[in-house]
Amino acid sequence: MRKSLLRTLAFCLCASSIALTSLTGCSSRLGLGNNNEKVLRVASWGEYIDMGGDVYDGNDPDLVAFRDFYAEKFGIDLTKSRPLYDEFEDWYFNQTGKEIKVEYIPLQDNETMYNKIKMGDSYDLLCPSEYMAMKLKAEDRLIPFDDAFYAAKTPENYNYYVENESVYTKEIFAQTGLTGYIAGYMWGTTGFVFNPEKIGDSPEDAREIMSSWKCLKSTACDRKITAKDNVRDSYFMGLGIYYEDELLKLQANNPDEYKRVLSEWMNDTSIDTMRGVKKELIKVRKNLYGLETDEGKTDMIMGRLDASYQWSGDAVFILDEAETESDLELEYSIPKSASNLWFDGWVMMEGAKKDPAQAFVNFLSMPQNVIRNMYYIGYTSCVAGSDVYDYVDFTYGEEENAPETTTYDLSYFFGQGAMLTTSIEQTRRQLFAQYPDTTTKERLVVMNYFDKKTNERANRMWNNIK
């Protein structure tokens, strides 16, 4: 199974107890915004973009296969590539005749981004997560993309993002009120990575246990499972337990009502509900091996843990590395009642250099760059298109006459006819983590941002539990 380059490197550093914040050493670039018309300030997460060059050297069979696939499809030698933000500078000049310099600014997390903005930092492009994008929009800190960005394009002025954005993610943005203000970058789910040989009496028993939020307080996972050390993921997890029985009943007996209340219940921050969630999380805390941010990945890879609550992109990395490093075939599960759908996307601040900023989004949405980013980062792009589907087929597809295969419906994301022949095991592993099946996607919900009072109340609750 292929491994994302950034995630593999991060694991190697983590295993050596070296903290990875930014491999480019760009912290010296941080500071207040400037009005230099030739500088595009792009704030994102560390190396959340393909860095090109030496990372594509080497003789690892998976890497060689990817290089060959990429060269055959696009006629590009990746060993001669550069960071995509550097390549954008040349592309922009060729398109417009204007020079631009990209200042890529790595930030630690959404809260760091928000605090820097409040202190006066300005950026042309930001890549916040969904809740932070909603918060920034509500505070009138964002400006919309130009109407011309969404207009019909000619071959000479083609918009790769508009033409190839997945219908699925487009619908999600509409539900969050971000249409026109965000261009999707990466998306995914939250769920449980687990060892089916270590939980319960059999793999089938393990899968049943791990399909419920109650696995977090199950004796089968006693001191064998970790959760995230942050208030938002933990609160959503608590809501999952709190509402699970009622949601499952509605799923079975009143599907229309289930769809109606799903987002409402999984975003319930009322005082009474938060009290109930707190009680559930106290029980969970007693059952956990611990709370973590990144170290849970290494523990799962090395077999020191049996289960961990993870973001889907990290789940793919864990499954890849556990197979290579420890000969473990782990799986990924999303609770049957409901789970979280997250996304990161590009937004513009007031005063942004709109033309190069929108061109940067367009450039990253070119299929050859989408595929490079997905391979390098290990996460799933919001951009679809036939070339991206070919990459998914290259990564997870099997011959139709191969044993133990099944047809996996990806039409909701890639459009009609996207029926992938894949191994049955991939319906529980990396493919499922990157692209949940059509049934599972119906129980995914975006978590809204907390207003100031709710955030304070939630933080008090979480600090008492920790």
Side-chain angles (χ1 to χ4, degrees):
M1 178 54 60
R2 68 99 182 94
K3 295 179 279 186
S4 72
L5 298 178
L6 175 61
R7 296 289 168 183
T8 302
L9 180 55
F11 169 68
C12 294
L13 292 173
C14 190
S16 302
S17 299
I18 298 175
L20 176 67
T21 54
S22 170
L23 300 181
T24 56
C26 290
S27 58
S28 62
R29 288 175 161 177
L30 297 178
L32 295 178
N34 59 67
N35 294 319
N36 188 334
E37 292 182 359
K38 294 184 178 181
V39 175
L40 184 72
R41 287 173 55 81
V42 179
S44 188
W45 315 127
E47 289 188 336
Y48 204 30
I49 191 170
D50 180 89
M51 298 301 290
D54 293 345
V55 295
Y56 287 106
D57 288 333
N59 298 315
D60 177 84
D62 291 327
L63 176 58
V64 171
F66 176 71
R67 281 202 314 254
D68 291 346
F69 162 82
Y70 195 87
E72 181 179 353
K73 176 165 280 292
F74 300 112
I76 297 173
D77 181 358
L78 285 172
T79 62
K80 298 179 181 179
S81 61
R82 295 176 293 143
L84 278 174
Y85 50 77
D86 282 349
E87 293 187 7
F88 167 73
E89 296 170 0
D90 296 338
W91 182 84
Y92 186 73
F93 181 79
N94 291 334
Q95 294 290 311
T96 67
K98 299 177 182 179
E99 293 186 353
I100 195 73
K101 177 69 177 177
V102 176
E103 185 179 6
Y104 186 82
I105 304 160
L107 299 177
Q108 183 177 353
D109 52 39
N110 283 283
E111 283 64 40
T112 300
M113 175 185 285
Y114 183 72
N115 289 335
K116 286 187 173 295
I117 291 172
K118 288 188 69 176
M119 289 188 295
D121 279 25
S122 63
Y123 310 95
D124 298 298
L125 267 180
L126 300 168
C127 190
S129 298
E130 72 296 322
Y131 75 94
M132 186 54 66
M134 287 186 274
K135 181 180 178 72
L136 292 172
K137 180 176 179 291
E139 294 178 356
D140 293 323
R141 297 181 186 271
L142 303 183
I143 58 174
F145 284 76
D146 286 336
D147 290 342
F149 181 78
Y150 298 101
K153 301 298 173 181
T154 65
E156 295 78 21
N157 189 27
Y158 190 84
N159 189 307
Y160 293 91
Y161 179 77
V162 171
E163 296 299 323
N164 293 309
E165 179 190 9
S166 172
V167 173
Y168 178 64
T169 56
K170 186 183 295 186
E171 291 173 351
I172 298 300
F173 300 153
Q175 294 169 17
T176 59
L178 289 171
T179 297
Y181 285 84
I182 193 166
Y185 189 47
M186 300 288 168
W187 74 283
T189 61
T190 59
F192 296 99
V193 176
F194 67 99
N195 187 334
E197 301 294 335
K198 293 289 187 178
I199 296 172
D201 299 325
S202 65
E204 291 73 21
D205 189 32
R207 289 166 193 142
E208 184 63 27
I209 292 169
M210 300 309 300
S211 69
S212 167
W213 286 107
K214 293 177 184 177
C215 68
L216 289 154
K217 56 182 185 179
S218 167
T219 56
C221 295
D222 186 20
R223 301 293 173 174
K224 299 177 182 180
I225 188 170
T226 60
K228 290 298 179 188
D229 189 6
N230 71 69
V231 64
R232 286 181 57 83
D233 286 310
S234 297
Y235 186 71
F236 190 93
M237 185 177 73
L239 282 171
I241 299 171
Y242 184 76
Y243 277 120
E244 184 166 62
D245 289 342
E246 293 177 78
L247 285 172
L248 289 174
K249 287 179 182 177
L250 286 178
Q251 266 186 353
N253 301 319
N254 194 340
D256 291 338
E257 181 67 6
Y258 168 82
K259 292 178 181 178
R260 189 187 70 79
V261 303
L262 179 60
S263 180
E264 176 187 340
W265 288 5
M266 295 306 293
N267 278 290
D268 186 353
T269 56
S270 64
I271 292 175
D272 287 344
T273 297
M274 195 169 285
R275 285 175 182 154
V277 167
K278 180 179 180 180
K279 292 178 182 178
E280 295 293 352
L281 289 178
I282 289 172
K283 297 174 188 176
V284 167
R285 186 68 185 90
K286 294 176 181 178
N287 202 57
L288 294 177
Y289 175 83
L291 298 168
E292 56 87 22
T293 51
D294 281 322
E295 59 272 20
K297 296 197 290 289
T298 304
D299 287 336
M300 285 298 304
I301 290 165
M302 303 309 295
R304 293 191 288 264
L305 282 174
D306 294 342
S308 183
Y309 183 48
Q310 294 287 343
W311 301 297
S312 54
D314 286 345
V316 172
F317 165 67
I318 293 169
L319 269 60
D320 285 348
E321 291 296 327
E323 188 174 358
T324 301
E325 300 293 330
S326 305
D327 197 28
L328 294 175
E329 288 209 357
L330 306 180
E331 297 184 5
Y332 182 70
S333 176
I334 295 174
K336 291 180 179 179
S337 58
S339 196
N340 183 220
L341 185 149
W342 61 265
F343 58 84
D344 297 332
W346 298 105
V347 299
M348 296 185 294
M349 291 184 64
E350 186 70 41
K353 303 174 187 68
K354 296 184 78 172
D355 286 346
Q358 292 173 146
F360 189 80
V361 172
N362 190 18
F363 176 75
L364 290 186
S365 303
M366 296 171 70
Q368 59 265 43
N369 297 333
V370 170
I371 292 170
R372 278 177 61 178
N373 274 332
M374 284 182 62
Y375 185 79
Y376 184 83
I377 300 167
Y379 279 37
T380 307
S381 176
C382 294
V383 176
S386 59
D387 288 323
V388 179
Y389 179 77
D390 288 346
Y391 168 63
V392 175
D393 190 15
F394 160 77
T395 307
Y396 298 119
E398 298 283 352
E399 297 293 334
E400 291 187 2
N401 58 355
E404 298 186 355
T405 60
T406 187
T407 299
Y408 199 79
D409 187 356
L410 290 174
S411 59
Y412 75 90
F413 194 86
F414 289 100
Q416 188 175 1
M419 307 293 287
L420 183 70
T421 300
T422 190
S423 65
I424 292 175
E425 70 170 20
Q426 277 302 326
T427 64
R428 301 186 289 262
R429 303 194 73 224
Q430 290 95 331
L431 174 60
F432 177 68
Q434 289 211 281
Y435 297 97
D437 60 46
T438 54
T439 301
T440 301
K441 78 176 181 65
E442 296 301 325
R443 58 181 187 264
L444 300 176
V445 59
V446 175
M447 190 179 189
N448 297 329
Y449 75 96
F450 295 160
D451 61 29
K452 184 177 180 180
K453 289 185 178 180
T454 301
N455 197 53
E456 291 172 350
R457 186 156 39 90
N459 277 315
R460 285 196 301 270
M461 174 206 71
W462 181 233
N463 288 332
N464 288 334
I465 293 170
K466 290 173 63 177

